[in-house]
Amino acid sequence: MEVNIPKTSAVMASLLRADFTTLWRNRRSVVMVLLVPMIIVFSWKALVATAGGAFVLSNSITLGLVAVGLMGYTNSIARDRDKGVFQRLRVSPLPLWTIMASRLLIQLSLIILLTIVVFISGYQLDHITISAGGYALTLLAAIIGGAVYLSLGQVIVGRIKNPETVNSTARLIYFGFIMVGMFGELGVLGDKFKKAVDWTPYGTVKTILAGSLEPMKWNNNTNVALLLTLGYTIVFATLGIKWFKWDSK
């Protein structure tokens, strides 16, 4: 009996439609993810005059990227795995890579949307303007930075199978990034701690975003931060893929 295997392009289109539909049905969680950086832009308005618009926008986007990778991605993967969605997809004539590629493309679109929302919020609320090149470069930097937190989210769902434990762990790490990032960047915890934060995933992502917002200020420290960001992504992605299980048993 002849079996008709669908084309990879058709498979990806179907998976993307299904994943976008799921994202739309869970749009409240998307709104919450977008609200986090908007709140930072609004509450840090006084810092624009002293620290600069790039400082405010880079931290806002960074916190938004943390929310996308640690809250949105991990919870969706853990939920679908627990419901047996991945197991059903695995027995279908689909290349395995298309299953995760579709999920990552959805997160990519969310990262782009988040960055644009921060640009608009910064302009409307704080009157922050940057060059056209800065906007384009920052979008690229946001994608690179978002990859760090998506790969870290992959580590969490790879190492932990229980969806409730995944949720609580992601929330704890997310809270840690917020506290360490915000207080560290503002210098509340001291200069030494602030310097240490600069080399964490939060700090390196924030640095390349700040450099992208003001391309003329891109320097050697920004290059080092970019290399470290790529290094973090490779390490997290390798571990996340190695540990990931398609079922929750």
Side-chain angles (χ1 to χ4, degrees), residues 137 141 207-208 211-212 214-220 222-223 226:
L137 193 59
T207 298
I208 64 172
S212 300
E214 297 179 310
M216 70 291 296
K217 294 184 179 180
W218 188 288
N219 53 32
N220 186 57
T222 316
N223 290 329
L226 176 59

Side-chain angles (χ1 to χ4, degrees), residues 40 44 47 55-56 58-64 66 70 149 172-190 193-207:
I40 299 300
W44 286 16
L47 292 176
F55 176 85
V56 174
S58 60
N59 278 281
S60 301
I61 296 174
T62 302
L63 288 173
V66 177
L70 296 185
Y149 299 110
L172 179 62
I173 297 175
Y174 175 55
F175 180 77
F177 269 111
I178 291 179
M179 292 298 100
V180 171
M182 290 181 64
F183 290 123
E185 284 297 317
L186 293 174
V188 175
L189 302 177
F193 190 85
K194 183 179 183 300
K195 291 180 180 179
V197 170
D198 288 341
W199 304 114
T200 64
Y202 182 97
T204 60
V205 171
K206 194 275 301 180
T207 298

Side-chain angles (χ1 to χ4, degrees), residues 50-88:
T50 56
F55 176 85
V56 174
L57 293 185
S58 60
N59 278 281
S60 301
I61 296 174
T62 302
L63 288 173
L65 296 178
V66 177
V68 171
L70 296 185
M71 302 300 293
Y73 180 71
T74 55
N75 289 332
S76 66
I77 296 296
R79 181 186 63 246
D80 287 349
R81 180 174 60 185
D82 187 60
K83 291 181 177 179
V85 173
F86 290 141
Q87 282 292 72
R88 292 193 293 272

